[in-house]
Amino acid sequence: MKKLLQKIKIWLQGLSFRTGVIVLGCCIPFYILSFAQMAIPGISAEVKGALWVVLFGLAKTFQYGGLTILGVEGYKRLKVCLKRNNDKSERKSDN
């Protein structure tokens, strides 16, 4: 099971920044639905509880998946930015 989770994490980290933003944005509707369904009359408490668990679980899955994707891409963007700043400072010292 641990190997499977590691493979999923590595696969998620290989996705693009844009994909991470989209996946992270998908958690918002599931958070809204997980709490809004409580206001629907005519549904038993057991069904509302089950819906809440499923919808809230999906929201958390999208949230952590999106953060995993953005984490790696954010690191890559920071690395490129720092490299550019380092190159600029080296050019200034050469003059």
Side-chain angles (χ1 to χ4, degrees):
M1 186 70 169
K2 192 172 183 177
K3 286 185 179 183
L4 177 64
L5 291 175
Q6 188 67 23
K7 286 176 101 173
I8 291 171
K9 183 180 175 186
I10 291 170
W11 176 72
L12 284 174
Q13 290 174 340
L15 298 174
S16 72
F17 182 79
R18 183 177 179 190
T19 303
V21 171
I22 292 169
V23 170
L24 196 55
C26 288
C27 76
I28 296 168
F30 284 106
Y31 276 124
I32 292 169
L33 287 172
S34 69
F35 291 103
Q37 58 87 21
M38 294 291 186
I40 299 172
I43 299 177
S44 69
E46 293 83 16
V47 173
K48 285 183 180 183
L51 278 173
W52 185 83
V53 167
V54 169
L55 293 171
F56 195 77
L58 283 169
K60 282 295 185 186
T61 302
F62 279 114
Q63 178 185 357
Y64 291 128
L67 289 174
T68 302
I69 296 166
L70 288 177
V72 169
E73 189 62 32
Y75 172 75
K76 288 179 184 177
R77 286 186 176 191
L78 180 62
K79 190 174 175 180
V80 167
C81 182
L82 290 174
K83 189 174 182 179
R84 273 192 246 153
N85 287 339
N86 191 18
D87 290 345
K88 286 180 184 178
S89 65
E90 286 178 10
R91 284 188 218 137
K92 287 181 182 178
S93 64
D94 288 342
N95 291 333

